[in-house]
Amino acid sequence: MTPAATLGTNGATHSSPPPLQGEGSGEGAATPPQTTVRSTCAYCGVGCGVLLTPDGQGGIEVKGDPDHPANRGRLCSKGIALGETVGLDDRLLAPRVNGADTDWDSALDLVATRFGDTIAKHGPDSVAFYVSGQLLTEDYYVANKLMKGFIGSGNIDTNSRLCMASTVAGQRRAFGTDTVPGTYDDIEDADLVVLVGSNLAWCHPVLYQRVIAAQKQRPHVKIAVVDPRRTASCDRADIHLQIESGTDVELFNGLLSRIHQMGALDKGYMRHVEGFNAALAAASTARPAEVTKLPQALIDRFYNMWIGTEKVVTIFSQGVNQSSSGADKVNSILNCHLATGRIGKPGMGPFSVTGQPNAMGGREVGGLANMLACHLDIENADHRRAVRDFWNAPTIATAPGLKAVDMFRAVGDGRIKALWIIHTNPAVSMPDADAVRDAIKGCDFVVVSDITAQNDTARLAHVLLPAAAWGEKNGTVTNSDRTISRQRAALPVPGQARPDWEILAEVGRRMGWRHAFDYSTPVEIFREYAGLSQVAGIFGRDFDISAATRMRDIDYDAMEPFRWPLTATRQGGRFFADGQFYTPDGKARMLPLNYRPPESKRGRRFPYRLNTGRLRDQWHTMTRTAKSPRLSAHLPEPFCEIHPDDAAELGLAPADLVELTSTQGRAILRVVVTDKVRPGEVFAPMHWTGETAPSARIDALVAPVTDPVSGQPESKASVVAMKKFEAGWYAFAVSAGDMTPDAEYWARARTRNGWRAELAGREAPADWEAWARKLFGTEATVQVVSDAGRGIHRLAFHEGDRLVAALFVAPEPVGLMRDYVAALPGTEAPGAISGRAPADRPDPGPVLCACFNVGVNTILTAIEDQGLCTVEAIGAALQAGTNCGSCRPEIAALLQKAALPPKAAE
């Protein structure tokens, strides 16, 4: 079905609603049990459709929507576990002012008054909004309208600045607008898929499985990976170019030069392109083998593969974007596609994959500080005038506002005196995170809208506003291939929580702009937004959904996913195959680019390059994913991947703790010795916070260096020093209830039976029982086994026959069956103190397949006992690897470990 069939009064016929129930255009209505609601996943920019069925007890069952074009029923491990994350145990359910619950009128009056007074005294640029790709488009639209059109400042930026701002900058430079040329279908139609700085298998598993499915159907399809780290995405790759960090521009400059040398230019298409000669002149100076540290033969093989395959899609992500030369990296890729005319046609083109569910929607509504809504330019006086007139606004921002890093600098030095943070955790996720935390703490007035008060940023707020969460709110989101989908409520909004658009609109009304923010439903906002896109269309911009301007409420409720543009004459499709661009002369721009190394330089003081990134089963700062026991089970502790040569030089062994330091901060992480990283480079995940592992807030080490064009931080190329953390003791703890750790190193994670934690410190407590009772908050009967001379202590706390908690202490990393022990709290476990599973109760081992909760030991046992020798056979026997497929490389590694090489590991 197409959305045009549901536009009603816009001249098309109205079809019946989809067979599964929507929710009405209001907010917070409870959905009857067993009524299934079509919605969209809460996580990454793939934008998977989900089917939500409330259980009548406050929970929901989540399945993939087979009719959604993004995923066709597939979900990754995180999507499958969404139902485990909707509990209310840590929800913020009432407004709070200075730590005390209050009513909405008091809280909103305070916010409106403080912002109004600050603006009156210090001007509009003394206030700022820092928002999030978690917002729905309708929320984003109201926030942008309030700040840019009524407060009159450009100081609204989004955590998407940390994710894909370099792509925005690169595409605007090349195309004239931030336009995604292709669609997901191109990934399946391509004969060569190149992954650049993208661990697609872990970060966007559903898209990766579409690539693998295409390869199964057409075995000639090739996969190339360009990444300084060997990731799960390399498992099926035909070629892996393990370049030195930050050298992408040199690699693609070399490709452009080789395209010219081999006569592979599309001379007909070049009529639509300006700047080729200058771009080629710059590219001709490239020395890719010397700079990337790759063998020339490997580079030649890649160049021949790319040039010799017409249908090539180059997928890029954070390894490209999060760089001080991120925009140039993007344009180096775009240059190659423009030179060959491989853009906007089936199976070919550059493709940026985004990290948040509505990062694209934020780009479209002008959520970035340097953009207006609907891809209009804040620097263009005609665009500003048109937006101001459309909004009937008293003013309009006349210049770009402060981008994220500069915004928090301004908070720190007092230029910004009132700050509203919405659905994001900058005290953890921003570079130089300790300085950002201190800046927020010192700000005169801080408002935080979120679903919890229990995160690093919310704890710094003067005013906390309880917001509706995913599964409770209604609106739209845009995914990475321009598909707009509905998010729909399946659960009632709890307590006094409200949707974000309503909170923002109410503040706008209380600041004196009642008529401009007099919305009662999200569909009213969507219609207004569509109307503004019609203005953009008049200016000849790409983003135009004007066919939805007169959409009825019932049509909004029944809206099917659609890809923009959506006008009276066009729906969806690709861009730029016809050579028509959005620059003043209608031609694309190729840019002359020169390789620039990362801003932070390695030296004697800081000899290692720090790469940061995501894990398979976690997302952002784990506010949601950490609620799920199955997602916490795969890699429950923060770690640092170190090359064996570097580990040997530093005297580090697997499971040691390592202390990382930089100019900005310090972290302590578990050591993983692996050749997945290059010598001199280390990798650490970015998810842990002050709530889950205070010593592992990795962005505290990241330098606040940004790309000069995009303003995106260089999150993958800071420099650090490393040394062993000389712990005097190590411990492992499990508990049926929460813990309050007090140690130099600790990391906790949820389990199905409570919590687990790793701990370590330099000086041992004098009384381990007293220390454990404080950790667990228990007065239960204790069973103790202790050898003080060897530094070994084991304590198990029981209430009757039920295990309440247990602590295992040793002078080295504690050896025991962790996953078995973690399942014991709340059960009868008289032998828990042994830390070993009895013979009749096998230990499943660490969870490898989060989708089906299958442990490593379970797989190894099946390999041995059943003679399984392929990934497919293991999937048939245990289901492992048969859903999102992101664990399949690890299954293949287990087969190799078991000396049974996989015949067709996928």
Side-chain angles (χ1 to χ4, degrees), residues 747-765:
R748 65 177 176 178
R750 286 184 188 262
T751 69
R752 296 191 180 279
N753 291 44
W755 295 84
R756 62 186 286 174
E758 301 282 351
L759 310 100
R762 288 191 171 90
E763 299 294 330

mmCIF file of all heavy atoms in Angstrom, residues 747-765:
data_model
loop_
_atom_site.group_PDB
_atom_site.id
_atom_site.type_symbol
_atom_site.label_atom_id
_atom_site.label_comp_id
_atom_site.label_asym_id
_atom_site.label_seq_id
_atom_site.Cartn_x
_atom_site.Cartn_y
_atom_site.Cartn_z
ATOM 1 N N ALA A 747 31.627 -2.616 37.697
ATOM 2 C CA ALA A 747 30.712 -2.613 36.556
ATOM 3 C C ALA A 747 29.589 -3.585 36.870
ATOM 4 O O ALA A 747 29.848 -4.749 37.199
ATOM 5 C CB ALA A 747 31.436 -3.035 35.278
ATOM 6 N N ARG A 748 28.375 -3.102 36.795
ATOM 7 C CA ARG A 748 27.236 -3.961 37.120
ATOM 8 C C ARG A 748 26.327 -4.127 35.921
ATOM 9 O O ARG A 748 26.282 -3.282 35.027
ATOM 10 C CB ARG A 748 26.455 -3.403 38.303
ATOM 11 C CG ARG A 748 25.781 -2.073 38.028
ATOM 12 C CD ARG A 748 24.972 -1.604 39.220
ATOM 13 N NE ARG A 748 24.402 -0.279 38.968
ATOM 14 C CZ ARG A 748 23.617 0.362 39.821
ATOM 15 N NH1 ARG A 748 23.312 -0.195 40.982
ATOM 16 N NH2 ARG A 748 23.136 1.560 39.521
ATOM 17 N N ALA A 749 25.592 -5.244 35.922
ATOM 18 C CA ALA A 749 24.674 -5.546 34.824
ATOM 19 C C ALA A 749 23.498 -6.345 35.367
ATOM 20 O O ALA A 749 23.636 -7.118 36.326
ATOM 21 C CB ALA A 749 25.386 -6.333 33.726
ATOM 22 N N ARG A 750 22.365 -6.177 34.731
ATOM 23 C CA ARG A 750 21.175 -6.926 35.124
ATOM 24 C C ARG A 750 21.281 -8.383 34.692
ATOM 25 O O ARG A 750 21.886 -8.705 33.667
ATOM 26 C CB ARG A 750 19.918 -6.330 34.490
ATOM 27 C CG ARG A 750 19.461 -5.035 35.114
ATOM 28 C CD ARG A 750 18.154 -4.587 34.486
ATOM 29 N NE ARG A 750 17.795 -3.243 34.935
ATOM 30 C CZ ARG A 750 16.932 -2.989 35.913
ATOM 31 N NH1 ARG A 750 16.344 -3.995 36.548
ATOM 32 N NH2 ARG A 750 16.648 -1.749 36.257
ATOM 33 N N THR A 751 20.669 -9.235 35.466
ATOM 34 C CA THR A 751 20.491 -10.636 35.106
ATOM 35 C C THR A 751 19.009 -10.963 35.247
ATOM 36 O O THR A 751 18.226 -10.157 35.764
ATOM 37 C CB THR A 751 21.308 -11.554 36.025
ATOM 38 O OG1 THR A 751 20.740 -11.516 37.351
ATOM 39 C CG2 THR A 751 22.766 -11.116 36.094
ATOM 40 N N ARG A 752 18.636 -12.139 34.802
ATOM 41 C CA ARG A 752 17.224 -12.521 34.938
ATOM 42 C C ARG A 752 16.820 -12.682 36.403
ATOM 43 O O ARG A 752 15.639 -12.610 36.731
ATOM 44 C CB ARG A 752 16.954 -13.814 34.166
ATOM 45 C CG ARG A 752 17.148 -13.646 32.669
ATOM 46 C CD ARG A 752 16.631 -14.828 31.868
ATOM 47 N NE ARG A 752 16.857 -14.612 30.439
ATOM 48 C CZ ARG A 752 16.087 -13.874 29.652
ATOM 49 N NH1 ARG A 752 15.026 -13.289 30.155
ATOM 50 N NH2 ARG A 752 16.383 -13.724 28.372
ATOM 51 N N ASN A 753 17.802 -12.891 37.281
ATOM 52 C CA ASN A 753 17.510 -13.099 38.696
ATOM 53 C C ASN A 753 17.966 -11.937 39.565
ATOM 54 O O ASN A 753 17.978 -12.061 40.794
ATOM 55 C CB ASN A 753 18.167 -14.389 39.190
ATOM 56 C CG ASN A 753 17.534 -15.629 38.599
ATOM 57 O OD1 ASN A 753 17.267 -15.678 37.414
ATOM 58 N ND2 ASN A 753 17.277 -16.638 39.418
ATOM 59 N N GLY A 754 18.386 -10.829 38.962
ATOM 60 C CA GLY A 754 18.839 -9.708 39.763
ATOM 61 C C GLY A 754 19.964 -8.946 39.093
ATOM 62 O O GLY A 754 19.790 -8.379 38.017
ATOM 63 N N TRP A 755 21.149 -8.985 39.725
ATOM 64 C CA TRP A 755 22.292 -8.210 39.256
ATOM 65 C C TRP A 755 23.577 -9.017 39.387
ATOM 66 O O TRP A 755 23.676 -9.913 40.222
ATOM 67 C CB TRP A 755 22.440 -6.918 40.081
ATOM 68 C CG TRP A 755 21.308 -5.967 39.920
ATOM 69 C CD1 TRP A 755 20.113 -5.988 40.584
ATOM 70 C CD2 TRP A 755 21.238 -4.864 39.028
ATOM 71 N NE1 TRP A 755 19.308 -4.970 40.157
ATOM 72 C CE2 TRP A 755 19.974 -4.252 39.206
ATOM 73 C CE3 TRP A 755 22.126 -4.323 38.092
ATOM 74 C CZ2 TRP A 755 19.587 -3.130 38.493
ATOM 75 C CZ3 TRP A 755 21.732 -3.192 37.374
ATOM 76 C CH2 TRP A 755 20.471 -2.604 37.580
ATOM 77 N N ARG A 756 24.565 -8.649 38.568
ATOM 78 C CA ARG A 756 25.909 -9.162 38.687
ATOM 79 C C ARG A 756 26.869 -7.989 38.609
ATOM 80 O O ARG A 756 26.548 -6.950 38.027
ATOM 81 C CB ARG A 756 26.222 -10.177 37.577
ATOM 82 C CG ARG A 756 26.164 -9.594 36.194
ATOM 83 C CD ARG A 756 26.334 -10.635 35.098
ATOM 84 N NE ARG A 756 27.705 -11.103 34.967
ATOM 85 C CZ ARG A 756 28.074 -12.088 34.152
ATOM 86 N NH1 ARG A 756 27.160 -12.707 33.395
ATOM 87 N NH2 ARG A 756 29.327 -12.471 34.082
ATOM 88 N N ALA A 757 28.059 -8.156 39.179
ATOM 89 C CA ALA A 757 29.022 -7.054 39.151
ATOM 90 C C ALA A 757 30.435 -7.592 39.208
ATOM 91 O O ALA A 757 30.710 -8.620 39.852
ATOM 92 C CB ALA A 757 28.780 -6.093 40.307
ATOM 93 N N GLU A 758 31.329 -6.908 38.524
ATOM 94 C CA GLU A 758 32.768 -7.111 38.644
ATOM 95 C C GLU A 758 33.328 -5.933 39.431
ATOM 96 O O GLU A 758 32.943 -4.779 39.192
ATOM 97 C CB GLU A 758 33.432 -7.172 37.268
ATOM 98 C CG GLU A 758 32.915 -8.267 36.357
ATOM 99 C CD GLU A 758 33.478 -9.645 36.689
ATOM 100 O OE1 GLU A 758 34.407 -9.731 37.522
ATOM 101 O OE2 GLU A 758 32.981 -10.633 36.101
ATOM 102 N N LEU A 759 34.247 -6.204 40.351
ATOM 103 C CA LEU A 759 34.795 -5.153 41.189
ATOM 104 C C LEU A 759 36.293 -5.380 41.381
ATOM 105 O O LEU A 759 36.777 -6.514 41.278
ATOM 106 C CB LEU A 759 34.114 -5.123 42.563
ATOM 107 C CG LEU A 759 32.576 -5.120 42.592
ATOM 108 C CD1 LEU A 759 32.048 -6.526 42.878
ATOM 109 C CD2 LEU A 759 32.054 -4.152 43.635
ATOM 110 N N ALA A 760 37.011 -4.304 41.671
ATOM 111 C CA ALA A 760 38.433 -4.413 41.976
ATOM 112 C C ALA A 760 38.881 -3.154 42.698
ATOM 113 O O ALA A 760 38.272 -2.081 42.557
ATOM 114 C CB ALA A 760 39.258 -4.621 40.701
ATOM 115 N N GLY A 761 39.950 -3.282 43.445
ATOM 116 C CA GLY A 761 40.499 -2.130 44.152
ATOM 117 C C GLY A 761 41.936 -2.375 44.564
ATOM 118 O O GLY A 761 42.436 -3.509 44.489
ATOM 119 N N ARG A 762 42.598 -1.332 44.971
ATOM 120 C CA ARG A 762 44.003 -1.461 45.377
ATOM 121 C C ARG A 762 44.118 -1.985 46.804
ATOM 122 O O ARG A 762 44.891 -2.899 47.084
ATOM 123 C CB ARG A 762 44.714 -0.113 45.230
ATOM 124 C CG ARG A 762 44.977 0.294 43.784
ATOM 125 C CD ARG A 762 45.926 1.489 43.712
ATOM 126 N NE ARG A 762 46.349 1.765 42.346
ATOM 127 C CZ ARG A 762 45.723 2.573 41.505
ATOM 128 N NH1 ARG A 762 44.613 3.191 41.904
ATOM 129 N NH2 ARG A 762 46.180 2.767 40.289
ATOM 130 N N GLU A 763 43.377 -1.383 47.722
ATOM 131 C CA GLU A 763 43.453 -1.763 49.136
ATOM 132 C C GLU A 763 42.229 -2.578 49.520
ATOM 133 O O GLU A 763 41.101 -2.163 49.287
ATOM 134 C CB GLU A 763 43.544 -0.517 50.018
ATOM 135 C CG GLU A 763 44.765 0.352 49.757
ATOM 136 C CD GLU A 763 46.058 -0.355 50.139
ATOM 137 O OE1 GLU A 763 46.036 -1.192 51.067
ATOM 138 O OE2 GLU A 763 47.087 -0.082 49.494
ATOM 139 N N ALA A 764 42.458 -3.735 50.112
ATOM 140 C CA ALA A 764 41.351 -4.607 50.504
ATOM 141 C C ALA A 764 40.676 -4.093 51.770
ATOM 142 O O ALA A 764 41.338 -3.552 52.667
ATOM 143 C CB ALA A 764 41.860 -6.026 50.734
ATOM 144 N N PRO A 765 39.363 -4.245 51.879
ATOM 145 C CA PRO A 765 38.668 -3.876 53.115
ATOM 146 C C PRO A 765 39.162 -4.711 54.293
ATOM 147 O O PRO A 765 39.582 -5.864 54.127
ATOM 148 C CB PRO A 765 37.199 -4.193 52.799
ATOM 149 C CG PRO A 765 37.106 -4.233 51.306
ATOM 150 C CD PRO A 765 38.435 -4.718 50.831
#
